[in-house]
C-alpha cells in the first residue's frame, strides 16, 4: 500500500484521503485521514479540486483507472455559459484595446455577443460564479462582464420593463471603459491606494462618458451609467455629487452590482471579502447611499435562492444553509454535521465563502 494522486472524477466512496486537501485559495478543505463519502466528492467538485491523494490499491488497477479518468476528463466540454463567457471576454478585451487607442468600439458586435451570453443567464449564479483562470491584469474585463450580468438580473428581479434589460446589461459592460485610459501601474499596485491614486481613478467616470457619448445606437441611460455609477443618493458620490432622482436609474442598478463584484473579487491591493459580509455592507449603504428598494430586491433574491447551499464559515467549518429568515437574509441557519448554527445568535460567525448549491 502506498499513496497515489487520483482525479476527483475517479474517486470512490470509502477511500481514505492521505494528504490535506486545500482549496485554490489555500484554505484547508479536508484533513488527511478522512474517508470519502458522496458528500466529500460533491464538495471537492464544488471547489474545482482536480486531484487528491489516497491510499493506493493494486498498481496496475490504479494505472488503468487513472488513464481512463484522464480520458474522461479530456472529453468533458465546456458548458454553453462558459463558452459564451469566454467569447465575451475576448471581445471586451479587444473593445478596451480599441478604446485605449482612441478607436470606436463595435457596438453591434458587442450587442450580438451580449445577447448570446444572456441566453445562458440561467447558468449564472451571482454568489458562486468565479471566472476560470482569472488573472489580476484582466480583472477589469471580468469585472465588467460580471457587473453586466448581475445588473441584468437585478433589473429583471426588480420588474424593470423588458426594453431596459439589454441597455442595463450593455451599461454594465461599458461602465468602466474609462479605466482603459488610466495609467495601468495604479491597478498593479500591491499596496493600499494613496489619496492621489484614488483621485486619479475617479477620473474614469468622466473619461468613460466621453468615450461612449458619441457611440451610435446606445441610449442615454447607458452613457450616463458610465458617468454616474459612483454617485450616491445622499450626494456623497462622484464626479458631480448628484442626489436622489438626479441619478439615472441605470446608474443606481450598476452601483449595487459594481460594489458587490469589486468587494468579492481579489485585487492586488486587497483580499476578497465574504459575499455575505458585502451584502450586509450593501444593506447599511442602502440607508442614504444606495437605492434601498433595489438593494432589498438584490439581497432577497440572491439569498432566497440558496437554501441547500454549501458554505464555509469564518472559523473554517463547512455546513449547509437550511433556513433563511427573510428579515435577516445574510444570517441564515447553518447545519454543520447535523448541528444547527444560527448566525443571528452567533454574531462572531459569518459566511466566509459560498461553495455551491447542492440540491
Amino acid at each position: 500500500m502506498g499513496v497515489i494522486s487520483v482525479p476527483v472524477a475517479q474517486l470512490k466512496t470509502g477511500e481514505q484521503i492521505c494528504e490535506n486537501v486545500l482549496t485554490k485559495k489555500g484554505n484547508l478543505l479536508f484533513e488527511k485521514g478522512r474517508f470519502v463519502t458522496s458528500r466529500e466528492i460533491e464538495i471537492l467538485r464544488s471547489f474545482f479540486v482536480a486531484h487528491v491523494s489516497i491510499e493506493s490499491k493494486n498498481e496496475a488497477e490504479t494505472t488503468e483507472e487513472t488513464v481512463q479518468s484522464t480520458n474522461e476528463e479530456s472529453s468533458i466540454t465546456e458548458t454553453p455559459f462558459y463558452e459564451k463567457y469566454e467569447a465575451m471576454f475576448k471581445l471586451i478585451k479587444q473593445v478596451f484595446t480599441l478604446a485605449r487607442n482612441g478607436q470606436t468600439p463595435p457596438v453591434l458586435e458587442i450587442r450580438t455577443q451580449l445577447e448570446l451570453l444572456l441566453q445562458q443567464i440561467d447558468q449564472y449564479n451571482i454568489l458562486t460564479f468565479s471566472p476560470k483562470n482569472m488573472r489580476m491584469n484582466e480583472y477589469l474585463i471580468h469585472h465588467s462582464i460580471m457587473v453586466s450580468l448581475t445588473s441584468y438580473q437585478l433589473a429583471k428581479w426588480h420588474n424593470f420593463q423588458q426594453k431596459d434589460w439589454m441597455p442595463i446589461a450593455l451599461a454594465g459592460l461599458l461602465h468602466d471603459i474609462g479605466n482603459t485610459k488610466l495609467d495601468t501601474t495604479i491597478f498593479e499596485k500591491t499596496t493600499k491606494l494613496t489619496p492621489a491614486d484614488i483621485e486619479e481613478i475617479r477620473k474614469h467616470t468622466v473619461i468613460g462618458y466621453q468615450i461612449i457619448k458619441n457611440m451610435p445606437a446606445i441610449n442615454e441611460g447607458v452613457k450616463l451609467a458610465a458617468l454616474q455609477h459612483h454617485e450616491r443618493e445622499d450626494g456623497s458620490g462622484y464626479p458631480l455629487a448628484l442626489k436622489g432622482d438626479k441619478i439615472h436609474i441605470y446608474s443606481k442598478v450598476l452601483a449595487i452590482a459594481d460594489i458587490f463584484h469589486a468587494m468579492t473579487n481579489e485585487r492586488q491591493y486587497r483580499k476578497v471579502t465574504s459575499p455575505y459580509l458585502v451584502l450586509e455592507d450593501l444593506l447599511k449603504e442602502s440607508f442614504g447611499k444606495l437605492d434601498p428598494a433595489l438593494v432589498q430586491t438584490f439581497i432577497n433574491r440572491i439569498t432566497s435562492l440558496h437554501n441547500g447551499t454549501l458554505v464555509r464559515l469564518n472559523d473554517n467549518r463547512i455546513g449547509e444553509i437550511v433556513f433563511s429568515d427573510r428579515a435577516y437574509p445574510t444570517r441564515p441557519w447553518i447545519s454543520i454535521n447535523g448541528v444547527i448554527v444560527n448566525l443571528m445568535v452567533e454574531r462572531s460567525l459569518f459566511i466566509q465563502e459560498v461553495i455551491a448549491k447542492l440540491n
Side-chain angles (χ1 to χ4, degrees):
M1 299 288 282
V3 175
I4 58 163
S5 178
V6 299
V8 168
Q10 195 62 31
L11 201 57
K12 294 181 174 61
T13 58
E15 292 178 320
Q16 187 173 24
I17 297 172
C18 294
E19 292 180 3
N20 289 348
V21 180
L22 305 178
T23 68
K24 62 183 178 181
K25 296 179 182 176
N27 295 319
L28 179 65
L29 188 59
F30 296 134
E31 292 184 348
K32 64 181 180 180
R34 186 160 183 151
F35 285 93
V36 175
T37 69
S38 58
R39 173 54 68 91
E40 274 74 23
I41 293 172
E42 190 68 52
I43 294 171
L44 290 166
R45 286 174 176 164
S46 299
F47 269 105
F48 302 108
V49 174
H51 295 78
V52 296
S53 296
I54 63 168
E55 285 189 356
S56 67
K57 308 173 192 174
N58 174 278
E59 187 173 341
E61 179 186 345
T62 301
T63 302
E64 181 182 344
E65 287 182 352
T66 303
V67 169
Q68 177 187 345
S69 171
T70 302
N71 290 339
E72 287 175 357
E73 285 185 330
S74 64
S75 67
I76 295 173
T77 57
E78 292 282 359
T79 64
F81 175 78
Y82 271 104
E83 287 179 357
K84 298 298 186 293
Y85 183 95
E86 187 61 28
M88 178 59 79
F89 173 84
K90 290 176 181 175
L91 176 58
I92 296 304
K93 192 172 186 178
Q94 294 170 1
V95 166
F96 284 0
T97 300
L98 290 172
R100 187 178 299 115
N101 295 331
Q103 297 171 273
T104 303
V107 179
L108 181 59
E109 191 177 350
I110 296 170
R111 279 181 177 276
T112 302
Q113 194 60 54
L114 182 56
E115 286 173 356
L116 291 172
L117 179 59
L118 291 174
Q119 287 173 8
Q120 310 296 331
I121 192 73
D122 289 346
Q123 297 177 41
Y124 173 64
N125 186 313
I126 294 173
L127 278 185
T128 60
F129 175 74
S130 179
K132 295 180 179 179
N133 305 315
M134 183 168 166
R135 299 182 181 89
M136 287 294 181
N137 64 348
E138 295 171 340
Y139 165 83
L140 182 63
I141 304 167
H142 287 295
H143 177 75
S144 299
I145 300 172
M146 288 187 285
V147 169
S148 171
L149 293 170
T150 297
S151 297
Y152 178 84
Q153 286 283 54
L154 179 51
K156 287 180 65 178
W157 289 338
H158 203 67
N159 296 321
F160 277 64
Q161 293 184 31
Q162 190 168 351
K163 67 180 180 63
D164 290 314
W165 298 354
M166 175 58 76
I168 285 174
L170 186 61
L173 279 181
L174 300 175
H175 79 287
D176 265 349
I177 198 168
N179 281 311
T180 62
K181 292 283 194 178
L182 301 182
D183 185 349
T184 57
T185 58
I186 291 181
F187 302 105
E188 295 165 359
K189 291 187 71 169
T190 56
T191 54
K192 189 175 179 180
L193 298 180
T194 66
D197 293 333
I198 293 171
E199 197 58 39
E200 181 67 17
I201 287 175
R202 286 187 167 196
K203 295 177 182 177
H204 81 275
T205 53
V206 174
I207 295 171
Y209 178 72
Q210 290 171 340
I211 290 173
I212 68 174
K213 70 178 181 179
N214 295 320
M215 285 172 63
I218 58 174
N219 70 26
E220 192 64 18
V222 176
K223 300 171 185 178
L224 288 176
L227 181 67
Q228 298 177 353
H229 62 276
H230 285 286
E231 299 287 2
R232 297 296 179 256
E233 296 289 324
D234 60 1
S236 62
Y238 66 88
L240 301 174
L242 300 178
K243 291 185 178 182
D245 61 3
K246 301 297 183 187
I247 306 169
H248 195 281
I249 191 64
Y250 289 8
S251 306
K252 297 185 182 194
V253 172
L254 260 64
I256 294 168
D258 183 50
I259 291 171
F260 180 81
H261 289 295
M263 296 300 292
T264 54
N265 284 282
E266 191 168 1
R267 303 294 296 276
Q268 292 279 19
Y269 54 86
R270 187 186 65 228
K271 294 296 184 184
V272 298
T273 303
S274 154
Y276 273 75
L277 287 186
V278 175
L279 292 179
E280 291 188 2
D281 285 342
L282 285 172
L283 195 56
K284 292 173 189 170
E285 294 287 280
S286 72
F287 297 102
K289 294 187 181 298
L290 299 172
D291 184 289
L294 283 169
V295 169
Q296 201 64 56
T297 296
F298 182 67
I299 292 175
N300 285 344
R301 290 304 294 261
I302 69 172
T303 56
S304 67
L305 299 175
H306 287 75
N307 279 0
T309 296
L310 205 62
V311 296
R312 172 189 290 284
L313 300 184
N314 56 312
D315 63 2
N316 270 339
R317 288 184 295 167
I318 292 176
E320 182 180 336
I321 296 177
V322 292
F323 175 73
S324 294
D325 185 336
R326 288 299 85 206
Y328 306 100
T330 62
R331 293 200 156 267
W333 295 12
I334 313 295
S335 175
I336 302 174
N337 296 324
V339 177
I340 301 297
V341 176
N342 183 349
L343 296 185
M344 271 304 299
V345 177
E346 303 283 350
R347 300 298 296 186
S348 63
L349 296 176
F350 58 84
I351 296 172
Q352 180 68 51
E353 185 175 9
V354 177
I355 302 170
K357 189 169 177 60
L358 296 182
N359 52 44

